[in-house]
Amino acid sequence: MQSRFIFSVKIIEVVNALERFAPLPLQEDFDNAGLQIGLTEAEVSGALLCLDVTEQIVDEAIRRGCNLIISHHPLIFHKLSRISGEDYVQRTVMKAIRADITIASMHTNMDSAQGGVNYKIAEKMGLHELSFFGSLKTVENVDGGEGVIGSFSEPMAADDFILMLKKTFDVECVQANQLIRREIKKVALCGGAGSFLLQEAIEKGADAFVTGEMHYHEFFGHDQEIQIAVIGHYQSEQFTNEIFKSIIEEKCPGVRCCLTEVCTNPIIYL
Protein backbone atom coordinates (compact mmCIF):
# COMPACT_ATOMS: atom_id res chain seq x y z
CA MET A 1 0.00 0.00 0.00
CA GLN A 2 1.43 3.36 -1.04
CA SER A 3 1.60 5.86 1.79
CA ARG A 4 0.49 9.45 1.40
CA PHE A 5 2.33 12.28 3.10
CA ILE A 6 0.46 15.49 3.73
CA PHE A 7 2.71 18.40 4.59
CA SER A 8 1.09 21.13 6.61
CA VAL A 9 1.74 24.75 5.76
CA LYS A 10 1.80 27.48 8.35
CA ILE A 11 0.19 30.87 7.83
CA ILE A 12 3.60 32.56 8.12
CA GLU A 13 4.83 30.57 5.10
CA VAL A 14 1.97 31.87 2.95
CA VAL A 15 2.52 35.46 4.08
CA ASN A 16 6.26 35.19 3.47
CA ALA A 17 5.68 33.83 -0.05
CA LEU A 18 3.48 36.80 -0.91
CA GLU A 19 5.97 39.24 0.59
CA ARG A 20 8.85 37.73 -1.37
CA PHE A 21 6.86 38.34 -4.55
CA ALA A 22 5.92 41.88 -3.48
CA PRO A 23 8.26 43.02 -0.66
CA LEU A 24 6.67 45.34 1.87
CA PRO A 25 9.28 48.11 1.27
CA LEU A 26 7.70 48.55 -2.17
CA GLN A 27 4.57 49.96 -0.55
CA GLU A 28 3.86 53.69 -0.45
CA ASP A 29 4.60 55.63 2.74
CA PHE A 30 0.90 56.12 3.48
CA ASP A 31 0.10 52.41 3.24
CA ASN A 32 -0.34 49.69 5.87
CA ALA A 33 0.25 46.45 3.99
CA GLY A 34 1.31 43.23 5.68
CA LEU A 35 -0.08 41.38 8.68
CA GLN A 36 -3.27 43.00 9.97
CA ILE A 37 -4.75 40.65 12.55
CA GLY A 38 -3.93 37.32 14.14
CA LEU A 39 -1.17 34.80 14.69
CA THR A 40 0.92 33.26 11.95
CA GLU A 41 2.24 30.01 13.44
CA ALA A 42 -1.05 28.15 12.98
CA GLU A 43 -1.48 25.72 10.10
CA VAL A 44 -3.50 27.03 7.17
CA SER A 45 -6.92 25.43 6.88
CA GLY A 46 -7.68 27.51 3.81
CA ALA A 47 -6.97 30.95 2.39
CA LEU A 48 -9.83 33.22 1.36
CA LEU A 49 -8.64 35.71 -1.27
CA CYS A 50 -10.42 39.06 -1.64
CA LEU A 51 -10.10 42.72 -2.52
CA ASP A 52 -11.59 44.22 0.67
CA VAL A 53 -12.22 42.81 4.15
CA THR A 54 -15.71 43.29 5.59
CA GLU A 55 -17.86 41.47 8.11
CA GLN A 56 -19.37 39.50 5.23
CA ILE A 57 -15.89 38.39 4.13
CA VAL A 58 -15.10 37.10 7.62
CA ASP A 59 -18.44 35.27 7.66
CA GLU A 60 -17.51 33.71 4.32
CA ALA A 61 -14.12 32.61 5.68
CA ILE A 62 -15.82 30.95 8.63
CA ARG A 63 -18.37 29.25 6.40
CA ARG A 64 -15.73 27.97 3.99
CA GLY A 65 -13.34 26.80 6.72
CA CYS A 66 -10.57 29.33 6.03
CA ASN A 67 -8.46 30.62 8.92
CA LEU A 68 -6.53 33.02 6.67
CA ILE A 69 -7.80 35.98 4.66
CA ILE A 70 -5.52 37.62 2.11
CA SER A 71 -6.85 40.96 0.90
CA HIS A 72 -5.59 43.65 -1.42
CA HIS A 73 -6.89 46.65 0.53
CA PRO A 74 -5.83 46.73 4.19
CA LEU A 75 -8.65 46.43 6.71
CA ILE A 76 -6.69 48.55 9.18
CA PHE A 77 -5.59 51.57 7.17
CA HIS A 78 -5.87 54.33 9.75
CA LYS A 79 -4.89 54.12 13.40
CA LEU A 80 -7.50 52.49 15.65
CA SER A 81 -7.76 54.41 18.89
CA ARG A 82 -10.30 51.93 20.22
CA ILE A 83 -12.18 48.79 19.21
CA SER A 84 -15.76 49.17 20.36
CA GLY A 85 -17.75 47.98 17.36
CA GLU A 86 -18.95 51.43 16.30
CA ASP A 87 -17.94 51.04 12.63
CA TYR A 88 -17.48 48.20 10.16
CA VAL A 89 -13.69 48.13 10.58
CA GLN A 90 -13.90 47.66 14.34
CA ARG A 91 -16.67 45.06 14.02
CA THR A 92 -14.67 43.15 11.41
CA VAL A 93 -11.57 43.16 13.61
CA MET A 94 -13.60 41.84 16.54
CA LYS A 95 -15.23 39.12 14.45
CA ALA A 96 -11.92 37.94 13.00
CA ILE A 97 -10.27 37.75 16.42
CA ARG A 98 -13.19 35.79 17.88
CA ALA A 99 -12.97 33.30 15.01
CA ASP A 100 -9.14 32.96 15.18
CA ILE A 101 -8.82 34.21 11.61
CA THR A 102 -5.59 35.84 10.49
CA ILE A 103 -5.77 38.70 7.99
CA ALA A 104 -2.89 39.93 5.83
CA SER A 105 -3.00 42.53 3.06
CA MET A 106 -0.82 43.09 0.00
CA HIS A 107 -1.68 46.58 -1.23
CA THR A 108 0.60 49.14 -2.93
CA ASN A 109 3.49 46.68 -2.70
CA MET A 110 1.44 44.32 -4.91
CA ASP A 111 0.39 47.23 -7.14
CA SER A 112 4.02 48.11 -7.76
CA ALA A 113 5.64 44.68 -8.07
CA GLN A 114 6.61 43.21 -11.39
CA GLY A 115 3.87 40.74 -12.24
CA GLY A 116 1.56 42.47 -9.74
CA VAL A 117 -1.76 44.27 -10.06
CA ASN A 118 -0.88 46.60 -12.91
CA TYR A 119 0.71 43.76 -14.88
CA LYS A 120 -2.48 41.74 -14.37
CA ILE A 121 -4.61 44.62 -15.70
CA ALA A 122 -2.33 44.86 -18.74
CA GLU A 123 -2.59 41.10 -19.25
CA LYS A 124 -6.38 41.23 -19.20
CA MET A 125 -6.31 44.03 -21.77
CA GLY A 126 -4.02 42.05 -24.04
CA LEU A 127 -1.08 44.46 -23.89
CA HIS A 128 2.46 43.40 -24.77
CA GLU A 129 5.99 44.78 -24.32
CA LEU A 130 5.21 45.90 -20.78
CA SER A 131 7.40 48.26 -18.80
CA PHE A 132 7.08 50.44 -15.73
CA PHE A 133 6.62 54.19 -15.75
CA GLY A 134 6.30 56.69 -12.93
CA SER A 135 8.56 56.41 -9.89
CA LEU A 136 10.66 53.24 -10.00
CA LYS A 137 12.38 51.30 -7.26
CA THR A 138 14.06 47.93 -6.72
CA VAL A 139 13.69 46.17 -3.37
CA GLU A 140 15.13 42.75 -2.49
CA ASN A 141 15.84 42.12 -6.20
CA VAL A 142 12.21 42.84 -7.10
CA ASP A 143 11.61 45.68 -9.57
CA GLY A 144 8.70 47.99 -8.89
CA GLY A 145 6.98 50.96 -10.47
CA GLU A 146 3.87 53.08 -10.07
CA GLY A 147 2.32 52.36 -13.46
CA VAL A 148 2.66 50.07 -16.46
CA ILE A 149 2.76 50.93 -20.15
CA GLY A 150 2.41 48.54 -23.08
CA SER A 151 1.10 48.14 -26.60
CA PHE A 152 -1.53 46.21 -28.52
CA SER A 153 -0.40 43.87 -31.28
CA GLU A 154 -2.91 45.63 -33.53
CA PRO A 155 -4.20 49.17 -32.91
CA MET A 156 -7.91 49.74 -32.34
CA ALA A 157 -10.36 52.59 -32.73
CA ALA A 158 -11.28 54.53 -29.59
CA ASP A 159 -14.89 53.30 -29.50
CA ASP A 160 -13.72 49.68 -29.83
CA PHE A 161 -11.20 50.34 -27.05
CA ILE A 162 -13.94 51.54 -24.70
CA LEU A 163 -16.14 48.56 -25.57
CA MET A 164 -13.22 46.21 -24.86
CA LEU A 165 -12.75 47.75 -21.42
CA LYS A 166 -16.45 47.41 -20.61
CA LYS A 167 -16.45 43.75 -21.57
CA THR A 168 -13.10 42.79 -20.04
CA PHE A 169 -13.69 44.46 -16.68
CA ASP A 170 -17.48 44.04 -16.55
CA VAL A 171 -17.92 47.80 -16.36
CA GLU A 172 -21.39 49.29 -16.64
CA CYS A 173 -20.07 52.76 -17.41
CA VAL A 174 -16.63 53.96 -18.51
CA GLN A 175 -15.88 57.60 -17.73
CA ALA A 176 -14.03 58.99 -20.74
CA ASN A 177 -13.09 62.27 -22.32
CA GLN A 178 -13.84 63.03 -25.97
CA LEU A 179 -13.15 59.96 -28.10
CA ILE A 180 -9.78 60.36 -29.73
CA ARG A 181 -9.74 60.49 -33.54
CA ARG A 182 -6.76 58.24 -34.04
CA GLU A 183 -6.13 54.58 -33.38
CA ILE A 184 -5.01 53.44 -29.97
CA LYS A 185 -1.92 51.26 -29.75
CA LYS A 186 0.17 52.41 -26.76
CA VAL A 187 -1.65 52.33 -23.41
CA ALA A 188 -0.53 53.51 -19.98
CA LEU A 189 -2.38 52.29 -16.90
CA CYS A 190 -2.51 52.37 -13.14
CA GLY A 191 -5.04 50.43 -11.08
CA GLY A 192 -7.05 52.14 -8.35
CA ALA A 193 -6.56 55.88 -7.95
CA GLY A 194 -3.88 56.53 -10.56
CA SER A 195 -4.72 59.94 -11.98
CA PHE A 196 -1.41 61.33 -10.67
CA LEU A 197 0.27 59.48 -13.56
CA LEU A 198 -1.79 61.08 -16.35
CA GLN A 199 0.76 63.74 -17.30
CA GLU A 200 3.62 61.24 -17.41
CA ALA A 201 1.49 58.92 -19.57
CA ILE A 202 1.14 61.81 -22.03
CA GLU A 203 4.89 62.47 -21.92
CA LYS A 204 5.54 58.78 -22.63
CA GLY A 205 3.50 59.07 -25.84
CA ALA A 206 0.60 56.87 -24.72
CA ASP A 207 -2.53 56.99 -26.86
CA ALA A 208 -4.70 56.09 -23.87
CA PHE A 209 -4.58 56.15 -20.09
CA VAL A 210 -6.64 53.72 -18.02
CA THR A 211 -7.18 53.97 -14.27
CA GLY A 212 -9.81 53.36 -11.61
CA GLU A 213 -10.47 56.88 -10.32
CA MET A 214 -10.07 60.48 -11.49
CA HIS A 215 -11.40 63.82 -10.33
CA TYR A 216 -13.67 65.94 -12.51
CA HIS A 217 -11.19 68.73 -13.22
CA GLU A 218 -8.47 66.29 -14.24
CA PHE A 219 -10.39 65.46 -17.42
CA PHE A 220 -10.07 69.02 -18.76
CA GLY A 221 -7.50 70.01 -21.37
CA HIS A 222 -6.70 66.62 -22.86
CA ASP A 223 -9.20 66.25 -25.73
CA GLN A 224 -7.45 64.64 -28.73
CA GLU A 225 -4.23 64.52 -26.71
CA ILE A 226 -4.86 61.20 -24.96
CA GLN A 227 -7.87 58.93 -24.47
CA ILE A 228 -8.78 58.87 -20.79
CA ALA A 229 -10.73 55.84 -19.58
CA VAL A 230 -11.77 55.50 -15.94
CA ILE A 231 -13.24 52.08 -15.20
CA GLY A 232 -13.81 52.13 -11.42
CA HIS A 233 -11.49 51.37 -8.51
CA TYR A 234 -12.96 47.95 -7.71
CA GLN A 235 -13.22 46.96 -11.35
CA SER A 236 -9.61 47.84 -12.10
CA GLU A 237 -8.26 45.69 -9.26
CA GLN A 238 -10.76 42.84 -9.22
CA PHE A 239 -8.33 40.28 -10.66
CA THR A 240 -5.79 40.70 -7.85
CA ASN A 241 -7.15 37.48 -6.32
CA GLU A 242 -5.79 35.59 -9.31
CA ILE A 243 -2.28 36.84 -8.49
CA PHE A 244 -2.59 35.73 -4.87
CA LYS A 245 -3.84 32.31 -5.97
CA SER A 246 -1.02 31.70 -8.43
CA ILE A 247 1.66 32.69 -5.90
CA ILE A 248 0.24 30.54 -3.11
CA GLU A 249 -0.33 27.52 -5.32
CA GLU A 250 3.23 27.71 -6.67
CA LYS A 251 5.09 28.50 -3.44
CA CYS A 252 2.83 26.77 -0.88
CA PRO A 253 1.39 23.73 -2.67
CA GLY A 254 -1.39 22.02 -0.81
CA VAL A 255 -2.91 25.20 0.59
CA ARG A 256 -6.59 25.41 -0.33
CA CYS A 257 -7.29 28.75 -2.01
CA CYS A 258 -10.82 30.15 -2.18
CA LEU A 259 -11.68 33.14 -4.34
CA THR A 260 -14.31 35.19 -2.55
CA GLU A 261 -17.89 34.96 -3.75
CA VAL A 262 -18.74 38.31 -2.10
CA CYS A 263 -18.69 41.52 -4.15
CA THR A 264 -17.39 44.21 -1.79
CA ASN A 265 -17.70 47.10 -4.24
CA PRO A 266 -19.60 49.79 -2.28
CA ILE A 267 -20.48 51.70 -5.48
CA ILE A 268 -23.55 50.75 -7.47
CA TYR A 269 -24.86 52.17 -10.74
CA LEU A 270 -28.59 52.92 -10.79
Side-chain angles (χ1 to χ4, degrees), residues 3-142:
S3 60
R4 295 177 60 193
F5 295 93
I6 300 176
F7 297 96
S8 62
V9 178
K10 292 185 177 181
I11 289 173
I12 188 64
E13 296 177 73
V14 176
V15 174
N16 285 344
L18 291 165
E19 291 183 3
R20 282 193 296 271
F21 184 92
L24 290 181
L26 280 179
Q27 70 179 311
E28 299 294 334
D29 293 339
F30 61 78
D31 203 3
N32 189 39
L35 181 67
Q36 300 275 294
I37 297 169
L39 305 176
T40 59
E41 288 299 319
E43 295 179 5
V44 183
S45 63
L48 180 64
L49 313 178
C50 58
L51 195 65
D52 310 285
V53 186
T54 64
E55 294 170 86
Q56 290 75 24
I57 291 290
V58 176
D59 288 337
E60 182 184 20
I62 295 169
R63 176 174 56 81
R64 301 178 73 176
C66 298
N67 65 348
L68 173 62
I69 294 173
I70 302 293
S71 72
H72 182 45
H73 296 137
L75 171 63
I76 302 174
F77 200 86
H78 303 291
K79 177 183 176 181
L80 292 176
S81 57
R82 60 183 175 276
I83 302 177
S84 60
E86 63 190 40
D87 60 36
Y88 90 91
V89 173
Q90 295 180 32
R91 292 191 297 272
T92 304
V93 169
M94 294 167 67
K95 181 171 285 192
I97 291 173
R98 289 195 191 105
D100 288 328
I101 291 175
T102 297
I103 299 175
S105 303
M106 302 292 139
H107 190 210
T108 52
N109 56 318
M110 189 61 72
D111 287 331
S112 299
Q114 188 163 11
V117 176
N118 288 326
Y119 270 72
K120 177 61 70 172
I121 296 169
E123 173 193 318
K124 295 293 182 179
M125 291 172 59
L127 297 174
H128 305 283
E129 301 174 359
L130 305 181
S131 61
F132 288 120
F133 78 107
S135 296
L136 310 178
K137 66 170 72 172
T138 299
V139 175
E140 299 170 20
N141 296 318
V142 176

Side-chain angles (χ1 to χ4, degrees), residues 129-190:
E129 301 174 359
L130 305 181
S131 61
F132 288 120
F133 78 107
S135 296
L136 310 178
K137 66 170 72 172
T138 299
V139 175
E140 299 170 20
N141 296 318
V142 176
D143 293 330
E146 293 176 312
V148 163
I149 193 165
S151 299
F152 292 119
S153 298
E154 297 292 335
M156 65 176 70
D159 53 351
D160 291 331
F161 177 70
I162 299 297
L163 289 173
M164 178 275 292
L165 291 175
K166 292 182 70 173
K167 180 178 179 181
T168 301
F169 296 95
D170 192 23
V171 178
E172 296 180 56
C173 177
V174 173
Q175 290 183 311
N177 61 341
Q178 182 185 85
L179 291 184
I180 202 163
R181 292 189 293 273
R182 68 172 188 267
E183 289 188 313
I184 293 172
K185 183 174 177 65
K186 191 174 184 180
V187 179
L189 63 91
C190 180

